[in-house]
Amino acid sequence: MSRILRYGIFSIALSLSFSFISVCETSAQNVLGDILRRMDGNNKTLQSLQANVTMAKHNPQLNVTDVLVGSTSYLPKSGSRQMYVRIDWKTENGRPMEESMAVIGDQYKLYRKRVNQVITGKTGNAKNGAAAGGALAFMSMNKEQLRQNYTVQLVAEEKIKGGIQTAHLLLTPKVAGSYKSAELWVDTHGMPLQAKVTEQNGDTTTVLLENIRKNVTIKATEFELIYDKKKVRIIEA
């Protein structure tokens, strides 16, 4: 086979390869766009939410994972209201515990009844039981907020706990912050069921929602933490 013929065949093969890659990239973008549209539709129709919640906080340096289990209530941000989240933790690593957290906007309060302590601060800097607030915030973002603040990639179609089929999305911040990346697992209806945040030091926080009840009646007063203000110790994080 002559050199010219070999180069000609190589050029054609290379051209077809690039065409195939281009088609695949276009297809992937179409799939991602469809997922984001479904998320937007879910976001617009979601008026409230209650669910069981599990948070796994992993420290790779120590290879230690703390697991908290509880329940959550959620009211999304609207034109006249900030986002409201409440989480009541029931167990930690299988042991009974009693902690409650309330988030309004990007501010949180964590009431630790056992030590009579209230920790307050911003969700982006939250640790331990309060870290779930930051992860849950990703679940309430609409399509424009996601695309404006993050580079969004479709990782794969995956099943999560319970055998539920989801689209696994990777969100990389366009502006450097306290975390390197976030991930979302979104069901076929556009509802994010799981979120994972990876911090700059490699620590991860993964939040899973189960037994979801949408658009139930939730009063704003349910997000108030009840404690004796004269007796608790207030700590600003």
PDB file of all heavy atoms in Angstrom, residues 31-62:
ATOM      1  N   VAL A  31     -28.608  15.199  26.469  1.00  0.00           N
ATOM      2  CA  VAL A  31     -29.070  14.451  27.640  1.00  0.00           C
ATOM      3  C   VAL A  31     -28.966  15.325  28.886  1.00  0.00           C
ATOM      4  O   VAL A  31     -29.891  15.378  29.696  1.00  0.00           O
ATOM      5  CB  VAL A  31     -28.237  13.156  27.820  1.00  0.00           C
ATOM      6  CG1 VAL A  31     -28.591  12.486  29.143  1.00  0.00           C
ATOM      7  CG2 VAL A  31     -28.486  12.197  26.668  1.00  0.00           C
ATOM      8  N   LEU A  32     -27.820  16.012  29.048  1.00  0.00           N
ATOM      9  CA  LEU A  32     -27.633  16.893  30.200  1.00  0.00           C
ATOM     10  C   LEU A  32     -28.673  18.007  30.209  1.00  0.00           C
ATOM     11  O   LEU A  32     -29.254  18.329  31.253  1.00  0.00           O
ATOM     12  CB  LEU A  32     -26.226  17.486  30.175  1.00  0.00           C
ATOM     13  CG  LEU A  32     -25.881  18.484  31.302  1.00  0.00           C
ATOM     14  CD1 LEU A  32     -26.029  17.829  32.668  1.00  0.00           C
ATOM     15  CD2 LEU A  32     -24.470  19.030  31.120  1.00  0.00           C
ATOM     16  N   GLY A  33     -28.921  18.586  29.037  1.00  0.00           N
ATOM     17  CA  GLY A  33     -29.926  19.645  28.947  1.00  0.00           C
ATOM     18  C   GLY A  33     -31.297  19.152  29.363  1.00  0.00           C
ATOM     19  O   GLY A  33     -32.045  19.864  30.053  1.00  0.00           O
ATOM     20  N   ASP A  34     -31.634  17.919  28.974  1.00  0.00           N
ATOM     21  CA  ASP A  34     -32.924  17.337  29.349  1.00  0.00           C
ATOM     22  C   ASP A  34     -33.011  17.130  30.862  1.00  0.00           C
ATOM     23  O   ASP A  34     -34.053  17.389  31.469  1.00  0.00           O
ATOM     24  CB  ASP A  34     -33.117  16.008  28.620  1.00  0.00           C
ATOM     25  CG  ASP A  34     -34.481  15.392  28.880  1.00  0.00           C
ATOM     26  OD1 ASP A  34     -35.500  16.080  28.660  1.00  0.00           O
ATOM     27  OD2 ASP A  34     -34.537  14.233  29.335  1.00  0.00           O
ATOM     28  N   ILE A  35     -31.909  16.678  31.467  1.00  0.00           N
ATOM     29  CA  ILE A  35     -31.884  16.481  32.920  1.00  0.00           C
ATOM     30  C   ILE A  35     -32.086  17.809  33.641  1.00  0.00           C
ATOM     31  O   ILE A  35     -32.869  17.904  34.590  1.00  0.00           O
ATOM     32  CB  ILE A  35     -30.552  15.835  33.348  1.00  0.00           C
ATOM     33  CG1 ILE A  35     -30.444  14.419  32.806  1.00  0.00           C
ATOM     34  CG2 ILE A  35     -30.419  15.818  34.875  1.00  0.00           C
ATOM     35  CD1 ILE A  35     -29.054  13.827  32.911  1.00  0.00           C
ATOM     36  N   LEU A  36     -31.394  18.841  33.169  1.00  0.00           N
ATOM     37  CA  LEU A  36     -31.506  20.160  33.800  1.00  0.00           C
ATOM     38  C   LEU A  36     -32.917  20.731  33.642  1.00  0.00           C
ATOM     39  O   LEU A  36     -33.436  21.386  34.541  1.00  0.00           O
ATOM     40  CB  LEU A  36     -30.472  21.118  33.214  1.00  0.00           C
ATOM     41  CG  LEU A  36     -29.005  20.799  33.535  1.00  0.00           C
ATOM     42  CD1 LEU A  36     -28.074  21.782  32.838  1.00  0.00           C
ATOM     43  CD2 LEU A  36     -28.763  20.823  35.041  1.00  0.00           C
ATOM     44  N   ARG A  37     -33.551  20.462  32.487  1.00  0.00           N
ATOM     45  CA  ARG A  37     -34.933  20.927  32.286  1.00  0.00           C
ATOM     46  C   ARG A  37     -35.883  20.222  33.257  1.00  0.00           C
ATOM     47  O   ARG A  37     -36.800  20.836  33.807  1.00  0.00           O
ATOM     48  CB  ARG A  37     -35.363  20.695  30.839  1.00  0.00           C
ATOM     49  CG  ARG A  37     -34.825  21.720  29.849  1.00  0.00           C
ATOM     50  CD  ARG A  37     -35.480  21.599  28.485  1.00  0.00           C
ATOM     51  NE  ARG A  37     -35.103  20.349  27.817  1.00  0.00           N
ATOM     52  CZ  ARG A  37     -34.014  20.198  27.076  1.00  0.00           C
ATOM     53  NH1 ARG A  37     -33.190  21.212  26.909  1.00  0.00           N
ATOM     54  NH2 ARG A  37     -33.766  19.047  26.491  1.00  0.00           N
ATOM     55  N   ARG A  38     -35.659  18.917  33.463  1.00  0.00           N
ATOM     56  CA  ARG A  38     -36.506  18.182  34.407  1.00  0.00           C
ATOM     57  C   ARG A  38     -36.279  18.681  35.834  1.00  0.00           C
ATOM     58  O   ARG A  38     -37.222  18.786  36.621  1.00  0.00           O
ATOM     59  CB  ARG A  38     -36.221  16.686  34.310  1.00  0.00           C
ATOM     60  CG  ARG A  38     -36.942  16.018  33.147  1.00  0.00           C
ATOM     61  CD  ARG A  38     -36.746  14.528  33.147  1.00  0.00           C
ATOM     62  NE  ARG A  38     -35.566  14.133  32.393  1.00  0.00           N
ATOM     63  CZ  ARG A  38     -34.659  13.268  32.804  1.00  0.00           C
ATOM     64  NH1 ARG A  38     -34.759  12.716  33.991  1.00  0.00           N
ATOM     65  NH2 ARG A  38     -33.639  12.950  32.041  1.00  0.00           N
ATOM     66  N   MET A  39     -35.022  18.996  36.167  1.00  0.00           N
ATOM     67  CA  MET A  39     -34.722  19.560  37.484  1.00  0.00           C
ATOM     68  C   MET A  39     -35.423  20.899  37.665  1.00  0.00           C
ATOM     69  O   MET A  39     -35.954  21.198  38.736  1.00  0.00           O
ATOM     70  CB  MET A  39     -33.212  19.730  37.653  1.00  0.00           C
ATOM     71  CG  MET A  39     -32.439  18.440  37.809  1.00  0.00           C
ATOM     72  SD  MET A  39     -30.644  18.721  37.945  1.00  0.00           S
ATOM     73  CE  MET A  39     -30.571  19.595  39.531  1.00  0.00           C
ATOM     74  N   ASP A  40     -35.415  21.693  36.610  1.00  0.00           N
ATOM     75  CA  ASP A  40     -36.075  23.002  36.665  1.00  0.00           C
ATOM     76  C   ASP A  40     -37.576  22.830  36.868  1.00  0.00           C
ATOM     77  O   ASP A  40     -38.204  23.568  37.646  1.00  0.00           O
ATOM     78  CB  ASP A  40     -35.799  23.762  35.368  1.00  0.00           C
ATOM     79  CG  ASP A  40     -35.455  25.218  35.613  1.00  0.00           C
ATOM     80  OD1 ASP A  40     -34.914  25.521  36.694  1.00  0.00           O
ATOM     81  OD2 ASP A  40     -35.716  26.046  34.724  1.00  0.00           O
ATOM     82  N   GLY A  41     -38.177  21.859  36.168  1.00  0.00           N
ATOM     83  CA  GLY A  41     -39.608  21.600  36.328  1.00  0.00           C
ATOM     84  C   GLY A  41     -39.939  21.150  37.732  1.00  0.00           C
ATOM     85  O   GLY A  41     -40.930  21.590  38.323  1.00  0.00           O
ATOM     86  N   ASN A  42     -39.098  20.271  38.281  1.00  0.00           N
ATOM     87  CA  ASN A  42     -39.299  19.811  39.669  1.00  0.00           C
ATOM     88  C   ASN A  42     -39.163  20.964  40.641  1.00  0.00           C
ATOM     89  O   ASN A  42     -39.953  21.108  41.585  1.00  0.00           O
ATOM     90  CB  ASN A  42     -38.270  18.727  40.000  1.00  0.00           C
ATOM     91  CG  ASN A  42     -38.357  18.266  41.446  1.00  0.00           C
ATOM     92  OD1 ASN A  42     -39.249  17.512  41.827  1.00  0.00           O
ATOM     93  ND2 ASN A  42     -37.423  18.722  42.271  1.00  0.00           N
ATOM     94  N   ASN A  43     -38.168  21.814  40.395  1.00  0.00           N
ATOM     95  CA  ASN A  43     -37.913  22.968  41.268  1.00  0.00           C
ATOM     96  C   ASN A  43     -39.113  23.915  41.292  1.00  0.00           C
ATOM     97  O   ASN A  43     -39.483  24.442  42.350  1.00  0.00           O
ATOM     98  CB  ASN A  43     -36.649  23.693  40.794  1.00  0.00           C
ATOM     99  CG  ASN A  43     -36.202  24.786  41.734  1.00  0.00           C
ATOM    100  OD1 ASN A  43     -36.766  25.870  41.723  1.00  0.00           O
ATOM    101  ND2 ASN A  43     -35.187  24.518  42.529  1.00  0.00           N
ATOM    102  N   LYS A  44     -39.725  24.125  40.133  1.00  0.00           N
ATOM    103  CA  LYS A  44     -40.837  25.070  40.033  1.00  0.00           C
ATOM    104  C   LYS A  44     -42.111  24.547  40.693  1.00  0.00           C
ATOM    105  O   LYS A  44     -42.932  25.335  41.165  1.00  0.00           O
ATOM    106  CB  LYS A  44     -41.099  25.407  38.565  1.00  0.00           C
ATOM    107  CG  LYS A  44     -40.008  26.259  37.938  1.00  0.00           C
ATOM    108  CD  LYS A  44     -40.247  26.465  36.453  1.00  0.00           C
ATOM    109  CE  LYS A  44     -39.135  27.307  35.844  1.00  0.00           C
ATOM    110  NZ  LYS A  44     -39.289  27.470  34.362  1.00  0.00           N
ATOM    111  N   THR A  45     -42.290  23.223  40.715  1.00  0.00           N
ATOM    112  CA  THR A  45     -43.514  22.658  41.291  1.00  0.00           C
ATOM    113  C   THR A  45     -43.354  22.262  42.761  1.00  0.00           C
ATOM    114  O   THR A  45     -44.344  21.976  43.420  1.00  0.00           O
ATOM    115  CB  THR A  45     -43.962  21.408  40.501  1.00  0.00           C
ATOM    116  OG1 THR A  45     -42.907  20.427  40.524  1.00  0.00           O
ATOM    117  CG2 THR A  45     -44.272  21.779  39.055  1.00  0.00           C
ATOM    118  N   LEU A  46     -42.114  22.260  43.261  1.00  0.00           N
ATOM    119  CA  LEU A  46     -41.869  21.847  44.648  1.00  0.00           C
ATOM    120  C   LEU A  46     -42.146  22.998  45.607  1.00  0.00           C
ATOM    121  O   LEU A  46     -41.435  23.995  45.620  1.00  0.00           O
ATOM    122  CB  LEU A  46     -40.415  21.378  44.808  1.00  0.00           C
ATOM    123  CG  LEU A  46     -40.054  20.758  46.164  1.00  0.00           C
ATOM    124  CD1 LEU A  46     -40.854  19.476  46.404  1.00  0.00           C
ATOM    125  CD2 LEU A  46     -38.558  20.476  46.238  1.00  0.00           C
ATOM    126  N   GLN A  47     -43.201  22.863  46.388  1.00  0.00           N
ATOM    127  CA  GLN A  47     -43.583  23.890  47.364  1.00  0.00           C
ATOM    128  C   GLN A  47     -43.062  23.584  48.765  1.00  0.00           C
ATOM    129  O   GLN A  47     -42.833  24.491  49.564  1.00  0.00           O
ATOM    130  CB  GLN A  47     -45.116  24.006  47.409  1.00  0.00           C
ATOM    131  CG  GLN A  47     -45.752  24.343  46.077  1.00  0.00           C
ATOM    132  CD  GLN A  47     -45.270  25.676  45.530  1.00  0.00           C
ATOM    133  OE1 GLN A  47     -45.194  26.665  46.259  1.00  0.00           O
ATOM    134  NE2 GLN A  47     -44.914  25.703  44.252  1.00  0.00           N
ATOM    135  N   SER A  48     -42.876  22.310  49.055  1.00  0.00           N
ATOM    136  CA  SER A  48     -42.358  21.901  50.367  1.00  0.00           C
ATOM    137  C   SER A  48     -41.926  20.447  50.270  1.00  0.00           C
ATOM    138  O   SER A  48     -42.263  19.749  49.296  1.00  0.00           O
ATOM    139  CB  SER A  48     -43.422  22.054  51.458  1.00  0.00           C
ATOM    140  OG  SER A  48     -44.484  21.138  51.251  1.00  0.00           O
ATOM    141  N   LEU A  49     -41.192  20.003  51.289  1.00  0.00           N
ATOM    142  CA  LEU A  49     -40.707  18.626  51.273  1.00  0.00           C
ATOM    143  C   LEU A  49     -40.415  18.163  52.686  1.00  0.00           C
ATOM    144  O   LEU A  49     -39.907  18.928  53.511  1.00  0.00           O
ATOM    145  CB  LEU A  49     -39.440  18.543  50.417  1.00  0.00           C
ATOM    146  CG  LEU A  49     -38.706  17.200  50.297  1.00  0.00           C
ATOM    147  CD1 LEU A  49     -38.071  17.083  48.910  1.00  0.00           C
ATOM    148  CD2 LEU A  49     -37.627  17.051  51.361  1.00  0.00           C
ATOM    149  N   GLN A  50     -40.739  16.912  52.954  1.00  0.00           N
ATOM    150  CA  GLN A  50     -40.321  16.232  54.178  1.00  0.00           C
ATOM    151  C   GLN A  50     -39.730  14.889  53.772  1.00  0.00           C
ATOM    152  O   GLN A  50     -40.185  14.274  52.811  1.00  0.00           O
ATOM    153  CB  GLN A  50     -41.490  16.040  55.147  1.00  0.00           C
ATOM    154  CG  GLN A  50     -41.964  17.329  55.795  1.00  0.00           C
ATOM    155  CD  GLN A  50     -43.074  17.117  56.796  1.00  0.00           C
ATOM    156  OE1 GLN A  50     -43.876  16.198  56.643  1.00  0.00           O
ATOM    157  NE2 GLN A  50     -43.138  17.957  57.808  1.00  0.00           N
ATOM    158  N   ALA A  51     -38.699  14.451  54.486  1.00  0.00           N
ATOM    159  CA  ALA A  51     -38.041  13.196  54.114  1.00  0.00           C
ATOM    160  C   ALA A  51     -37.199  12.682  55.262  1.00  0.00           C
ATOM    161  O   ALA A  51     -36.890  13.411  56.218  1.00  0.00           O
ATOM    162  CB  ALA A  51     -37.156  13.416  52.884  1.00  0.00           C
ATOM    163  N   ASN A  52     -36.817  11.423  55.163  1.00  0.00           N
ATOM    164  CA  ASN A  52     -35.783  10.883  56.026  1.00  0.00           C
ATOM    165  C   ASN A  52     -34.435  11.273  55.426  1.00  0.00           C
ATOM    166  O   ASN A  52     -34.294  11.325  54.194  1.00  0.00           O
ATOM    167  CB  ASN A  52     -35.886   9.360  56.123  1.00  0.00           C
ATOM    168  CG  ASN A  52     -37.205   8.914  56.738  1.00  0.00           C
ATOM    169  OD1 ASN A  52     -37.858   9.670  57.454  1.00  0.00           O
ATOM    170  ND2 ASN A  52     -37.610   7.692  56.438  1.00  0.00           N
ATOM    171  N   VAL A  53     -33.451  11.527  56.258  1.00  0.00           N
ATOM    172  CA  VAL A  53     -32.164  11.994  55.758  1.00  0.00           C
ATOM    173  C   VAL A  53     -31.028  11.229  56.427  1.00  0.00           C
ATOM    174  O   VAL A  53     -31.065  10.953  57.624  1.00  0.00           O
ATOM    175  CB  VAL A  53     -31.999  13.519  55.976  1.00  0.00           C
ATOM    176  CG1 VAL A  53     -32.123  13.897  57.450  1.00  0.00           C
ATOM    177  CG2 VAL A  53     -30.674  14.021  55.418  1.00  0.00           C
ATOM    178  N   THR A  54     -30.034  10.882  55.618  1.00  0.00           N
ATOM    179  CA  THR A  54     -28.813  10.249  56.117  1.00  0.00           C
ATOM    180  C   THR A  54     -27.626  11.058  55.627  1.00  0.00           C
ATOM    181  O   THR A  54     -27.545  11.399  54.442  1.00  0.00           O
ATOM    182  CB  THR A  54     -28.677   8.804  55.600  1.00  0.00           C
ATOM    183  OG1 THR A  54     -29.791   8.036  56.033  1.00  0.00           O
ATOM    184  CG2 THR A  54     -27.398   8.158  56.127  1.00  0.00           C
ATOM    185  N   MET A  55     -26.717  11.393  56.545  1.00  0.00           N
ATOM    186  CA  MET A  55     -25.518  12.133  56.167  1.00  0.00           C
ATOM    187  C   MET A  55     -24.284  11.326  56.548  1.00  0.00           C
ATOM    188  O   MET A  55     -24.152  10.865  57.686  1.00  0.00           O
ATOM    189  CB  MET A  55     -25.457  13.500  56.854  1.00  0.00           C
ATOM    190  CG  MET A  55     -24.227  14.311  56.444  1.00  0.00           C
ATOM    191  SD  MET A  55     -24.124  15.932  57.243  1.00  0.00           S
ATOM    192  CE  MET A  55     -23.594  15.451  58.895  1.00  0.00           C
ATOM    193  N   ALA A  56     -23.378  11.151  55.583  1.00  0.00           N
ATOM    194  CA  ALA A  56     -22.100  10.478  55.827  1.00  0.00           C
ATOM    195  C   ALA A  56     -20.981  11.502  55.659  1.00  0.00           C
ATOM    196  O   ALA A  56     -20.809  12.064  54.570  1.00  0.00           O
ATOM    197  CB  ALA A  56     -21.910   9.318  54.863  1.00  0.00           C
ATOM    198  N   LYS A  57     -20.252  11.743  56.722  1.00  0.00           N
ATOM    199  CA  LYS A  57     -19.145  12.699  56.710  1.00  0.00           C
ATOM    200  C   LYS A  57     -17.846  11.902  56.761  1.00  0.00           C
ATOM    201  O   LYS A  57     -17.564  11.216  57.750  1.00  0.00           O
ATOM    202  CB  LYS A  57     -19.258  13.620  57.919  1.00  0.00           C
ATOM    203  CG  LYS A  57     -18.172  14.676  58.013  1.00  0.00           C
ATOM    204  CD  LYS A  57     -18.431  15.830  57.087  1.00  0.00           C
ATOM    205  CE  LYS A  57     -17.408  16.933  57.313  1.00  0.00           C
ATOM    206  NZ  LYS A  57     -17.572  18.036  56.346  1.00  0.00           N
ATOM    207  N   HIS A  58     -17.038  11.962  55.669  1.00  0.00           N
ATOM    208  CA  HIS A  58     -15.841  11.115  55.553  1.00  0.00           C
ATOM    209  C   HIS A  58     -14.570  11.949  55.622  1.00  0.00           C
ATOM    210  O   HIS A  58     -14.424  12.964  54.929  1.00  0.00           O
ATOM    211  CB  HIS A  58     -15.864  10.343  54.235  1.00  0.00           C
ATOM    212  CG  HIS A  58     -14.672   9.453  54.044  1.00  0.00           C
ATOM    213  ND1 HIS A  58     -14.418   8.366  54.860  1.00  0.00           N
ATOM    214  CD2 HIS A  58     -13.653   9.501  53.151  1.00  0.00           C
ATOM    215  CE1 HIS A  58     -13.307   7.777  54.469  1.00  0.00           C
ATOM    216  NE2 HIS A  58     -12.819   8.444  53.432  1.00  0.00           N
ATOM    217  N   ASN A  59     -13.643  11.523  56.489  1.00  0.00           N
ATOM    218  CA  ASN A  59     -12.316  12.124  56.596  1.00  0.00           C
ATOM    219  C   ASN A  59     -11.320  11.143  55.996  1.00  0.00           C
ATOM    220  O   ASN A  59     -10.997  10.120  56.601  1.00  0.00           O
ATOM    221  CB  ASN A  59     -11.983  12.403  58.065  1.00  0.00           C
ATOM    222  CG  ASN A  59     -10.627  13.067  58.241  1.00  0.00           C
ATOM    223  OD1 ASN A  59      -9.683  12.822  57.502  1.00  0.00           O
ATOM    224  ND2 ASN A  59     -10.531  13.920  59.257  1.00  0.00           N
ATOM    225  N   PRO A  60     -10.816  11.406  54.774  1.00  0.00           N
ATOM    226  CA  PRO A  60      -9.927  10.441  54.116  1.00  0.00           C
ATOM    227  C   PRO A  60      -8.572  10.307  54.792  1.00  0.00           C
ATOM    228  O   PRO A  60      -7.914   9.268  54.668  1.00  0.00           O
ATOM    229  CB  PRO A  60      -9.793  11.004  52.690  1.00  0.00           C
ATOM    230  CG  PRO A  60     -10.065  12.464  52.839  1.00  0.00           C
ATOM    231  CD  PRO A  60     -11.078  12.587  53.940  1.00  0.00           C
ATOM    232  N   GLN A  61      -8.113  11.346  55.492  1.00  0.00           N
ATOM    233  CA  GLN A  61      -6.813  11.277  56.161  1.00  0.00           C
ATOM    234  C   GLN A  61      -6.832  10.261  57.300  1.00  0.00           C
ATOM    235  O   GLN A  61      -5.876   9.522  57.510  1.00  0.00           O
ATOM    236  CB  GLN A  61      -6.416  12.660  56.675  1.00  0.00           C
ATOM    237  CG  GLN A  61      -6.192  13.675  55.550  1.00  0.00           C
ATOM    238  CD  GLN A  61      -5.872  15.060  56.080  1.00  0.00           C
ATOM    239  OE1 GLN A  61      -6.234  15.412  57.199  1.00  0.00           O
ATOM    240  NE2 GLN A  61      -5.170  15.837  55.270  1.00  0.00           N
ATOM    241  N   LEU A  62      -7.944  10.245  58.028  1.00  0.00           N
ATOM    242  CA  LEU A  62      -8.084   9.294  59.133  1.00  0.00           C
ATOM    243  C   LEU A  62      -8.837   8.041  58.708  1.00  0.00           C
ATOM    244  O   LEU A  62      -8.922   7.084  59.487  1.00  0.00           O
ATOM    245  CB  LEU A  62      -8.821   9.963  60.300  1.00  0.00           C
ATOM    246  CG  LEU A  62      -8.164  11.210  60.905  1.00  0.00           C
ATOM    247  CD1 LEU A  62      -9.056  11.801  61.989  1.00  0.00           C
ATOM    248  CD2 LEU A  62      -6.787  10.889  61.464  1.00  0.00           C
TER     249      LEU A  62
END
